[in-house]
Each structure stands twice: as C-alpha cells, then as structure tokens.
Amino acid sequence: MARCSIDCIERRLRICFEMMGLFIGSHPWWFLITPLILSAGLGSGFYFLKDRMSNNIEDQFTPVDGKAKMERKYIEETFPGNDSVFSRLRLSTSGSYATLIATSDRNILTAEPLKDILDLDFKVKAMAVQLGNQSFDYSDICAEVMGVCTSNAILDIIKYDAKNMDNVSLTFPWYHSDFQSLPLHLSLGSVKLNPESSVVESAKAIQLHYYLREDDKAKTDLWLENFINVVSNDSSASIQVSYCTSMSMQWEFEKSPASVIYLFSITYAIAITFSIISCWRSDNVRTKVWVAFCGVLSTGLAVLSSFGALLLLGQPFVMTVASCPFMILGIGLDDMFIMISCWQRTRVLDTVPDRLAGTYKEAAVSITITSLTDALALLLGYSSPFGSVRSFCLYAAMSVCFCYLFNITFLGACMALNGQREAGNKHWFTCAKIPEDVPSRTSKAFSICCVGGSYNRITEKEETEPVSHIFERFYGPFLTHKLIKASVFVIYMGYLAVGIYGCLMLKEGLDIRNLALDGSYIIGYYNNQRQHFSEYSYSVMVAVKQTFPYWDEDEQKLLHSCISNFESLNYVNSTLAWFLSFQRYANATGINISSQEAFRTHLPRFLELNSMFRQDVNFTADNHIQASRFFIQTLNRTTGEDMMVGLRKAAAECPLELLVYHPAFIYFDQYTVILDTTIQTVLLAVTVMLAVSLVLISNPLCSVWVAFAICSVIVGVTGFMALWGINLDSISMINLVMCIGFSVDFSAHMTYSFVSSPKSDVNQKATDALAHLGCPILQGAFSTILGVVVLSMSGSYIFRTFFKIVFLVITFGLLHGLVFIPVFLTLFKASGTWC
C-alpha cells in the first residue's frame, strides 16, 4: 500500500511558525512586554471576582433544564403555599429550617436524656438574636400553623416534661391520639418495637426540627448561624448531638475554595523547583534556568488573563474553576519542555532568530495540536447540562488558549533573550562573559562555576541530555524488540480488561455530603440520619393535573387502580389523600357524596375542618376542581434514582395525567442525564479530535492511532476511577472532559514525532521519536503530577477527585505515549505500511 501524504496544511503551518519564530527572535522585547501589559489589563477583572461568585449548589450541580425543576414550577403555580398553615409535607423546596439529632447508646426515651433534650430545645427557642438595633427569637420567625409555631411531635406527646414519658404508650411509625395522628418516624430513630404490637419499647435517636418563615432571609440566616453556635457549644453526658440547617451545606461548600488557596503557592513553588531542576545543566551557559522560570510565569499570566477576561465579561465563577490553574500549569510546562527540547536540536552557531525559527518549525505544530485538542475538548464540555461543568470548561478552555498564546509569544521571547545570552557565552546568573574551556592553573571551583558554552563540535548542537541518551541507546531498542512487543500487547490486554471491568462497576451520582469539607459538622449529622432514620424515605407528591369526577364510583376505580400501582412498588408504604379522607369523613358522618352536587356541597365543610387538605385542591373561579394532589410515603429500599424513575413510570402508565414530585428529585435528576451526557460528550470529542489530527498530522493512520489513544485512556481512567471509589458525577465529569484533552497530548506528540522522523525503518522511527520526545514527555508528566499532588492533601472531595483523575490520566497517558503507541505504530511493518 502506498504511503499516503496529506501534509499540505501541516507544511504551511510549519512555514508560518518558522516565520513567526524568526520575527519573535528578531524582536523579543515586543513579545516579552506586550503579554505583561495585556495580563495586567485583563487581570483587573479580578476586581469583580466577589460579584461573579456563583456557588449555589442547586444551580451548579443539578441539570439546568432538569425535569424536576419543571415539575416544581407546576407545583408552585398550582398549589401555592399558605404561610398561616405551614406543612412540611407540602413544601416545594427543602424550606428554611434547623434540625438536630440527639443520640444515646442506651434508650433515649428515659428521663435523663429527655431532660437534656428538653433543655436544649428550650435554649434554641429562647435564643435571642441581634440584628442591628432589633432583637428577635424563634417565636418571631417560626413557621406557623394557625398562629402557633410548628412543634416537634415527640415533645408535644410528653407535654415538654420528661416525667410524662412513663405515662405514654408510643406507637410507631404513627402515634394516634384522640384528635390527630402524628408521624413518629420523623422524630424517633433506631426504634425497637414490642414483638406483638407497634408499641415502642426503646429508641436510640430523637430528631427535632425548627422550621422558619422564608419572608426575611437576613433574619433567618442570622438565626441559623446562632443556632449552630448554640448547639455546637452545648454538651451533655447522656446524649450526643449532631446538627444541620437548610443553609449548612451551602455554607460549608463555600468554604472549599479557601481550603486550597494556600496550596496554590505550594504548587507553584514545586513547579518552579522541578522546572529549574529539569532544565538545569552543568554548563553555566547552556543551562535553561531562566526559561524554566519564565515557563511557570507564562502559565500564571495565562490564568490571570483568561480568568480576568471572563470576569470582565460577566461570566459566573464557580468553585470548581479553582482547580483550573493546577491543570493549566501542567499543560504549560509540557509545552515548555517540548520547546526546550527542540531548541537544543538547533545549530548552536546559527543566529538566535534562526534557532528560534527552527524551534518553532519543529515544536509549534505539535503544541498547536495538543492545545487545539485540549481547548476543543473543554468547549465541547460546555454543552453539559450542569452549570459547574459549563463554568469550568469555559474558564479552562480560555486558559488553554491564553497558555498557548503566551507560550508562542512570551515564552518564545524569553527563549530568544536566553539565546542571546548563550550566543554571547555569558553566565546564566551574572550575565558576565565566561571562557568556554578551563584556563590552565585554575581551581576546580572555577571550572564548575565560571566555565561554560561547550557543544558537540560534530553535530554543532547542544550536548544530548542523559535521559534522552537513555531513550535512544537503551529504552528504544529494548521496546522495539519482538519479545518485548508481544509482552506489551499482553500488558495492554490486561489493562483494557481491568478498565472495562471497572466501567461496568461504575456508580453514578453525586453524594451531597461530598460537597462539604472533611470534618464538617454536617458529616456527623448525615451519618446519624443514615444510621437511625433510614427506614422511611420521602413523602412524594402526586398531582392529578386534570379535572376528575371524584364523586363518581366508576371513575374512582380508575384513580384507585393508579394508587394501587404505586403501592404495589416494594418501596411504597402508604398513601395520604384528601379524597380518601373525605370519603372516610362522609362514611363516619353518614353523608352521601356520590353525586356532583352533594360532593361540592359537603367538601367546603370538610376542608374547613381539615385546613391542611385545603392546600391540596386547586379550584377554578366557579369552584370546580381543576387539579389536586395526594402523597405516597416511600421506604428506603432502593436508590433515590430508582425510586424516582419507578414512580415516574407508574405515573406515566396511569390513564390519568399525573405528576410525581419531591424536592430531592431536583438532585436525583443528575442520575438520569449524567451517563448519557458523558458518553455523548466523549464520542463527540473523539470525533473532533480525529478531525483535528487528520488535518494537522500528515498521515490518516497515525490520526486514527491518536483517536484510539484517546478512547483507550478514557476507558482506563473511567474503569480505574470506579475501582478507586469515584462515582460518575458532575465533578468527575469535569475531569473526564479534561481527560479527553490530556489524553491527546503525549500520544499526539509521540505520533507526530514518529511521522516526522527521517528514518525509514519503523523500529528506528519509534526509537528516534522516543529519543527526541521521551525526555520532555516524561518531564511534562511529572510536572503535571507535581502540579496537582498537593490537592491530595485537600479536605475537599472536589479537589481530591481532581487529583485522583489527573493522576490516572497522566499515568495512563504516559503509558500510552511511551509504551503502547510506539509499539503499536511499528506493527504496520508486517503489511509494508507505516505512518
């Protein structure tokens, strides 16, 4: 098969970059100062950072157009709340509240623990809060039912006196008194019942709720802050208390950026140190210390400019964006090492502009491929339904673009100025001209510190780095040996098998607890909630969205069959419906409601006696029922996703037009879209990456290998992240989108170097590519890992996940770039075809 060549675009790009390198090398100061001025101007956007912060959990970590959000809109419009008759069951949101869970190793329904709980309840309600010149307490802002603050059922039953517990026979899950039925499953946890009845023998946990009005957010937020202070400072020998508020998760989430600010300085210090060590040469002239320092500075300028520009344009800044600088640092240093490697392969005796032109001719196309693929992958991620993913991808894509721009301008100018110093044979630190050879009768210290500028007199190029020598003389021939190739293939099969197994084990969804920092007080609350109150799950609204003849017995059978379908699900426990209660009321009072006229006549009286049910019926102006709702109590026997999907399916199968909703569905919606969205983004990105590779790499088969590497790395990262305990959620999706771009880098560099090699034998081409780019790829990989390794110490799940996935991406990308791809590229020898 004839070798195919479509290098027209690539050749022209090389010529353009060669001319650019020549121009920058001739006028380096322009390209040094201009990026600095540009960065200073765009950096002014950070003035608006506080105003652009957008860390609302619902907005950023749930699907923007999720189905539950539309369902909530319908519920709020059709069944507006009544502030004078508060009902937790009927809230369309989580509401504004504070809650605490008191636990005990022994029976908590005894005098001493109950007394401590009552004392704490008194402290909470009596807590005076100061707002300006005004002082208020719980009674001033509490949610009310007929003018009285909402209360806690268990405390009402014992009439706020621990001694009364001995005179009460509690039943679970509902306690029935002469006047009402109280849901004790909301108040008592880890309950032990009498084997022959539903009477409570003991319990290990009591949960108290304090619901607030939502008409004055400043007051409620201040009260909630004081609640946290009071409860956190309270101590008791008989009970342990965990607590949470409706704002706790949001407040704890907003602490995450501050937890990593100090890591930025550590990261950049590590990056500068590693870059300097990597670029250090024993030759005092040829060392690239200043280029390494400027490479790190260039990435910092890229982040400053890109973030500042988007902040000036009014783009929201989400907390997930804080991980972006760590990623850009790795990308920027990877490009820097490639450029330095290409510079070292130019003739030392050429002029600085010519050397920079040669550097750009060799490196710029490779850097362009990786930067373009990184940016495109991130921009494709902007189509995600999650606000946090969109924000990260936009900021990261802009950062990649600026990083590329500054690397070919600012960093190129720095290389040119460093080249001028080298051309003058000047010392890297003092800039004083020093001898190339050691003068006679000089000390050893002088020869180490004050001599430099040597080069290979045969090739007229700088001396080869020891690592590059190892790749050329030892690693390359070793890797291309037939037996080693077979071993690499077996290893790859094992890697792929483990990756696919992990993909099959991958779990979906973001555990809301992971948004809080480690050690947060709310972690203890959620753990107690799960341990003691996990039997009963959500009370889900079911809205009947059409007019319905509730009085007609034949039509009632239709509605009852739909309710039976719900109750046939193993995780549905019971149904609470106004029309069922109305029927029981009619039977008890002996009235007939089987006709439309009688039904409409007696319904107002029933709703007057049961004011809560009044919120479940939507009347037209002429007093017809146009919509209503009822409730189904679910059990914790399945995942939230399966419960929501199962209830929606049961509603869809009913002949009536039904809608099911619970505020938690807003978050459960992520389960329904995360997998499909991720797969679509990855497939689209791979297609785009293939197109870019076809355009910029002069051989189609090699472009296919780049696309193969992307897919292979993604399979490995996804599978191993599942085995590492990471779920597929909006946080890991951000990193997988980033993975698409990162996975291109090493394989694209190696493939492009393979294509560009003048060698004829495929094994020699692979060895030549490894000799040229093995060292900078290795340096780039280590610099990226060092750039994010400090995030492993973060107390935030978000940043730890970022570290874990970047570590996997770089590890597997390096494995592909230096092991799998070089071997696979040589396999075409058998058919007489190579890239």
Side-chain angles (χ1 to χ4, degrees), residues 188-493:
L188 290 183
S190 295
V191 176
K192 180 181 179 182
L193 299 178
N194 186 304
E196 299 178 357
S197 67
S198 60
V199 175
V200 176
E201 289 188 349
S202 66
K204 290 190 175 181
I206 287 179
Q207 181 164 14
L208 305 182
H209 294 89
Y210 304 91
Y211 280 93
L212 312 176
R213 295 197 304 271
E214 300 183 60
D215 53 354
D216 192 336
K217 184 169 175 56
K219 273 190 174 183
T220 57
D221 283 358
L222 189 59
W223 190 90
L224 293 175
E225 290 175 4
N226 279 266
F227 169 86
I228 293 172
N229 292 332
V230 167
V231 177
S232 62
N233 292 322
D234 188 78
S235 60
S236 169
S238 63
I239 59 172
Q240 297 80 47
V241 179
S242 58
Y243 51 94
C244 184
T245 74
S246 54
M247 290 298 297
S248 288
M249 182 56 72
Q250 184 65 46
W251 290 338
E252 291 297 290
F253 173 66
E254 290 172 356
K255 292 179 182 178
S256 295
S259 71
V260 296
I261 287 177
Y262 76 98
L263 297 178
F264 283 103
S265 57
I266 297 175
T267 296
Y268 275 84
I270 291 174
I272 291 172
T273 303
F274 175 77
S275 299
I276 289 175
I277 292 174
S278 298
C279 297
W280 181 272
R281 306 289 183 271
S282 58
D283 190 300
N284 289 297
V285 173
R286 303 301 172 195
T287 186
K288 303 295 187 292
V289 171
W290 292 116
V291 177
F293 178 80
C294 291
V296 178
L297 178 60
S298 179
T299 63
L301 294 176
V303 172
L304 178 67
S305 301
S306 56
F307 280 29
L310 290 172
L311 290 170
L312 286 172
L313 293 173
Q315 288 297 320
F317 187 93
V318 182
M319 192 267 284
T320 50
V321 176
S323 58
C324 185
F326 300 94
M327 178 193 77
I328 298 302
L329 182 62
I331 293 175
L333 294 185
D334 180 43
D335 291 347
M336 179 195 74
F337 289 128
I338 298 292
M339 292 177 69
I340 290 176
S341 177
C342 291
W343 171 274
Q344 290 175 321
R345 293 202 299 272
T346 59
R347 290 182 68 251
V348 171
L349 300 180
D350 286 345
T351 63
V352 170
D354 286 338
R355 293 192 72 183
L356 196 63
T359 299
Y360 276 39
K361 181 180 179 181
E362 294 299 319
V365 173
S366 180
I367 291 173
T368 300
I369 292 172
T370 56
S371 298
L372 184 59
T373 51
D374 285 341
L376 286 175
L378 291 163
L379 288 174
L380 288 171
Y382 187 72
S383 62
S384 166
F386 298 96
S388 57
V389 179
R390 290 182 179 181
S391 185
F392 175 87
C393 288
L394 184 60
Y395 274 87
M398 183 69 83
S399 297
V400 169
C401 293
F402 270 97
C403 185
Y404 172 72
L405 175 65
F406 286 170
N407 276 340
I408 63 175
T409 55
F410 178 81
L411 183 58
C414 294
M415 292 183 70
L417 293 172
N418 192 71
Q420 291 177 7
R421 179 189 59 77
E422 291 183 17
N425 217 69
K426 296 179 180 179
H427 194 279
W428 70 271
F429 186 71
T430 64
C431 287
K433 191 167 184 176
I434 58 176
E436 181 178 340
D437 297 319
V438 181
S440 59
R441 297 181 182 179
T442 56
S443 65
K444 187 174 182 181
F446 181 88
S447 65
I448 294 174
C449 301
C450 302
V451 175
S454 64
Y455 59 93
N456 190 315
R457 301 292 177 174
I458 299 174
T459 62
E460 297 184 345
K461 298 178 181 179
E462 296 183 23
E463 295 291 347
T464 305
E465 298 171 72
V467 177
S468 296
H469 182 77
I470 293 172
F471 273 105
E472 183 177 10
R473 295 293 182 88
F474 301 103
Y475 181 72
F478 170 78
L479 188 66
T480 52
H481 190 278
K482 289 183 179 180
L483 184 61
I484 301 303
K485 287 183 184 180
S487 301
V488 167
F489 185 78
V490 172
I491 293 171
Y492 178 76
M493 289 293 100

